[in-house]
Amino acid sequence: MLIGYARVSTADQTLHLQTDALEKAGCIKIFTDIISGAKAERKGLEEAKNYVREGDTLVVWKLDRLGRSLRDLIEIITDLHNRKIGFKSLTENIDTTTSGGKLIFHIFGSLAEFERDIIRERTQAGLQAARARGRRGGRPKALSPKKTEMARALFNDKNNSVDEICKTLHISRVTLYRYVKAK
């Protein structure tokens, strides 16, 4: 059984092109979303994934309608594969129920893994170079040691309100309490 999924990013766009193509391909049920692909929670996609059963095929008009990124796409298709559910993209002519479609999918998976490894290597090299120059990562401290002492002195003087201290030092209450309590 062919189950369709269509998505557009904004309410200004229409689903007609996609739903027409999915119906023409033979989808008996079509799930839809009108939401940005960058959003992790897509109700229509979740409903489609819950609806499909072993032996079914999830069909999309185009690959970018399904996944937010190559990694997301691979995770979704791998989940479908593990559940013995096929996947078909009409525009790219990918069909994981065929050996050629499986090959294309595995090539995409390998490219995604390669991309992740390259990014990890670049990040590590950049961090090492920064450390060699004496730079440390992380968020800078909100208060210098001098301002920390000032904050403690102002806090210990009961004539100053917490709000006044925070306004003077341009910090939040939480930050003030964190620095006052730390010794």
Side-chain angles (χ1 to χ4, degrees):
M1 194 163 41
L2 299 178
I3 309 300
Y5 173 69
R7 179 185 61 79
V8 291
S9 300
T10 65
D12 296 340
Q13 298 171 327
T14 67
L15 292 161
H16 301 306
L17 172 71
Q18 294 177 51
T19 55
D20 290 349
L22 293 169
E23 286 170 2
K24 186 177 177 186
C27 293
I28 59 156
K29 187 158 179 71
I30 299 172
F31 295 88
T32 62
D33 276 322
I34 300 175
I35 190 167
S36 169
K39 302 291 183 193
E41 193 171 310
R42 291 168 282 170
K43 188 178 178 202
L45 178 58
E46 289 306 314
E47 289 173 355
K49 289 187 335 187
N50 290 333
Y51 184 84
V52 290
R53 300 288 176 244
E54 186 176 318
D56 290 349
T57 300
L58 182 64
V59 183
V60 295
W61 176 67
K62 198 171 181 187
L63 275 175
D64 67 352
R65 301 295 87 198
L66 182 66
R68 297 175 294 149
S69 64
L70 185 56
R71 182 179 186 178
D72 185 42
L73 187 63
I74 289 169
E75 286 174 8
I76 292 168
I77 296 174
T78 300
D79 174 58
L80 294 173
H81 176 73
N82 292 341
R83 294 170 47 204
K84 295 183 176 41
I85 297 165
F87 170 75
K88 192 181 231 180
S89 173
L90 301 176
T91 305
E92 289 86 2
N93 215 6
I94 295 173
D95 184 350
T96 63
T97 61
T98 67
S99 56
K102 286 179 187 173
L103 173 65
I104 299 275
F105 171 69
H106 287 293
I107 290 171
F108 281 164
S110 297
L111 290 172
E113 187 175 339
F114 175 71
E115 179 187 25
R116 283 192 302 271
D117 289 345
I118 294 292
I119 290 169
R120 187 178 309 114
E121 288 172 9
R122 285 184 191 149
T123 301
Q124 290 303 318
L127 290 171
Q128 286 176 351
R131 284 187 206 112
R133 290 189 311 276
R135 301 216 24 164
R136 295 184 59 206
R139 187 177 180 149
K141 299 286 184 195
L143 296 177
S144 65
K146 194 173 190 177
K147 278 195 173 182
T148 301
E149 289 307 314
M150 184 187 307
R152 287 188 180 130
L154 291 169
F155 186 79
N156 291 332
D157 182 356
K158 300 300 176 195
N159 293 325
N160 299 316
S161 73
V162 171
D163 287 336
E164 290 172 344
I165 297 169
C166 292
K167 280 183 186 175
T168 303
L169 297 174
H170 305 290
I171 59 174
S172 69
R173 295 174 77 94
V174 173
T175 302
L176 174 66
Y177 286 119
R178 187 180 322 118
Y179 277 91
V180 168
K181 300 290 187 234
K183 295 268 176 165

